[in-house]
């Protein structure tokens, strides 16, 4: 009987040890579920993303925001592993960047669409533009194409009918002999002291404190505008990452749509449910 009791004690002790290890293992597994995700954004977009940081924290996800002030660096940082995801570009920009850099960046969700606007410090109407006037447009290939199409929409120029990205060389008619100069997108707003008009991206305009209501022309959003929807992007190998998908889900909410409207003074629209 004593031997049996001794054996029972040994078994109970062993079970206790296994229980402790199991609990420790569960704790380690729980800790491992706490994920840190680095996201690269442009400028004032941080005001849209900050409320999402708190929301994700409750899900065990730490979202770290990294701000950039240009359109060239965020994709390089993504491919080098400095970032996990980024949210600054549209489909057109991503596809063009991949082609030019042999990249493998993909979209994992839509964010918003922001019409380009034409601003001026000297004109109140686009019809006031004089012959030979200086015009600034963004210089990266995607936004140069888009900027030129905006000038065409406004009736200022005519362009070649082609599906590939347009450049200033594709202008077929320029009745006012406008001096159209591509500049780094971030510089277009600052160029307004030197040019008659500038085509400015919405986030750049926001950072430069340009009010959308003061624009003298706004890009029309049509079915052809779908490639200009902004996105959350990552590398192809991470496109099915569950944590990154949770970030997208936390973003695509009615609360975020309202925040986008607030931050951008009604000039930018949530795109995940947008009716083109």
């Amino acid at each position: 009987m004593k031997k049996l009791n001794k054996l029972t004690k040994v078994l109970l002790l062993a079970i206790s040890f296994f229980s402790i290890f199991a609990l420790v293992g569960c704790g380690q597994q729980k800790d491992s579920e706490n994920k840190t995700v680095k996201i690269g954004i442009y400028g004032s977009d941080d005001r849209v993303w900050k409320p999402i940081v708190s929301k994700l924290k409750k899900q065990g996800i730490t979202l770290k925001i990294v701000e950039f002030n240009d359109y060239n660096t965020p994709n390089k940082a993504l491919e080098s592993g400095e970032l996990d995801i980024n949210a600054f570009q549209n489909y057109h920009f991503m596809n063009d960047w991949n082609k030019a850099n042999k990249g493998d960046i993909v979209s994992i969700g839509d964010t918003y669409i922001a019409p380009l606007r034409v601003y001026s410090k000297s004109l109140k109407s686009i019809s006031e533009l004089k012959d030979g006037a200086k015009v600034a447009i963004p210089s990266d290939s995607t936004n140069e194409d888009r900027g030129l199409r905006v000038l065409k929409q406004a009736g200022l120029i005519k362009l070649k009918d082609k599906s590939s990205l347009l450049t200033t060389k594709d202008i077929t008619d320029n009745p006012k002999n406008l001096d159209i100069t591509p500049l780094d997108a971030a510089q277009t707003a600052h160029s307004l002291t030197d040019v008659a008009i500038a085509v400015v991206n919405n986030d750049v305009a926001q950072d430069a404190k340009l009010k959308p209501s003061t624009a003298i022309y706004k890009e029309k959003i049509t079915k052809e505008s779908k490639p200009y929807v902004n996105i959350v992007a990552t590398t192809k190998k991470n496109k099915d990452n569950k944590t990154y998908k949770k970030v997208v889900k936390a973003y695509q909410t009615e609360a975020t749509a309202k925040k986008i409207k607030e931050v951008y003074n009604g000039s930018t629209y949530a795109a995940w449910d947008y009716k083109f």
Side-chain angles (χ1 to χ4, degrees), residues 14-30:
I15 290 169
S16 297
F17 274 118
F18 280 120
S19 298
I20 291 169
F21 283 128
L23 287 170
V24 171
C26 286
Q28 288 175 339
Q29 185 176 0
K30 188 175 181 179

Side-chain angles (χ1 to χ4, degrees), residues 38-39 66 68 73 76-85:
K38 286 185 179 181
I39 180 171
V66 182
F68 293 87
T73 314
K76 292 177 182 177
L78 185 59
E79 290 217 315
S80 69
E82 295 173 53
L83 296 176
D84 300 303
I85 57 178

Side-chain angles (χ1 to χ4, degrees), residues 13-170:
L13 190 61
I15 290 169
S16 297
F17 274 118
F18 280 120
S19 298
I20 291 169
F21 283 128
L23 287 170
V24 171
C26 286
Q28 288 175 339
Q29 185 176 0
K30 188 175 181 179
D31 289 341
S32 69
E33 291 173 0
N34 291 326
K35 304 290 185 181
T36 297
V37 179
K38 286 185 179 181
I39 180 171
I41 65 168
Y42 183 93
S44 56
D45 228 20
D46 66 326
R47 285 187 285 162
V48 177
W49 280 98
K50 280 179 179 177
I52 298 163
V53 172
S54 301
K55 187 187 299 185
L56 289 169
K57 194 73 175 176
K58 295 176 183 177
Q59 300 178 39
I61 300 171
T62 300
L63 187 66
K64 290 190 174 182
I65 297 173
V66 182
E67 293 183 37
F68 293 87
N69 58 10
D70 69 274
Y71 289 164
N72 299 312
T73 314
N75 278 342
K76 292 177 182 177
L78 185 59
E79 290 217 315
S80 69
E82 295 173 53
L83 296 176
D84 300 303
I85 57 178
N86 65 34
F88 78 100
Q89 65 194 318
N90 57 43
Y91 284 97
H92 222 327
F93 186 99
M94 177 189 71
N95 292 334
D96 185 60
W97 196 91
N98 279 338
K99 185 177 179 181
N101 296 275
K102 297 181 180 179
D104 65 346
I105 292 171
V106 298
S107 167
I108 55 173
D110 296 342
T111 56
Y112 56 70
I113 185 163
L116 295 188
R117 287 173 169 78
V118 179
Y119 290 90
S120 177
K121 286 196 172 181
S122 58
L123 309 178
K124 293 184 178 180
S125 169
I126 200 128
S127 62
E128 296 177 11
L129 200 61
K130 296 180 180 179
D131 286 1
K134 292 183 178 181
V135 178
I137 61 174
S139 62
D140 63 273
S141 56
T142 299
N143 283 307
E144 180 178 358
D145 169 271
R146 191 178 179 187
L148 288 169
R149 293 180 191 275
V150 169
L151 295 179
K152 179 186 175 183
Q153 270 188 8
L156 297 175
I157 60 173
K158 291 183 179 180
L159 299 164
K160 289 180 182 177
D161 185 12
K162 55 188 280 192
S163 57
S164 56
L165 295 175
L166 297 162
T167 71
T168 52
K169 294 179 180 179
D170 295 309

Side-chain angles (χ1 to χ4, degrees), residues 201-272:
N201 291 77
N202 207 48
D203 46 6
V204 174
Q206 179 78 4
D207 286 350
K209 303 291 190 290
L210 294 176
K211 294 181 179 180
S213 59
T214 65
I216 61 174
Y217 187 81
K218 182 181 80 170
E219 177 186 21
K220 297 171 185 174
I221 300 298
T222 67
K223 290 181 180 179
E224 285 69 43
S225 303
K226 288 183 180 180
Y228 301 125
V229 169
N230 279 43
I231 56 175
V232 178
T234 190
T235 52
K236 190 174 182 180
K237 67 180 180 181
N238 290 317
K239 66 183 180 68
D240 296 319
N241 185 291
K242 292 180 180 179
T243 303
Y244 300 171
K245 287 184 176 181
K246 286 180 181 179
V247 174
V248 173
K249 187 176 180 180
Y251 184 97
Q252 293 178 340
T253 64
E254 183 61 30
T256 303
K258 289 179 180 178
K259 195 67 179 177
I260 290 169
K261 188 175 181 180
E262 174 194 323
V263 168
Y264 287 104
N265 300 310
S267 66
T268 300
Y269 321 114
W272 53 92

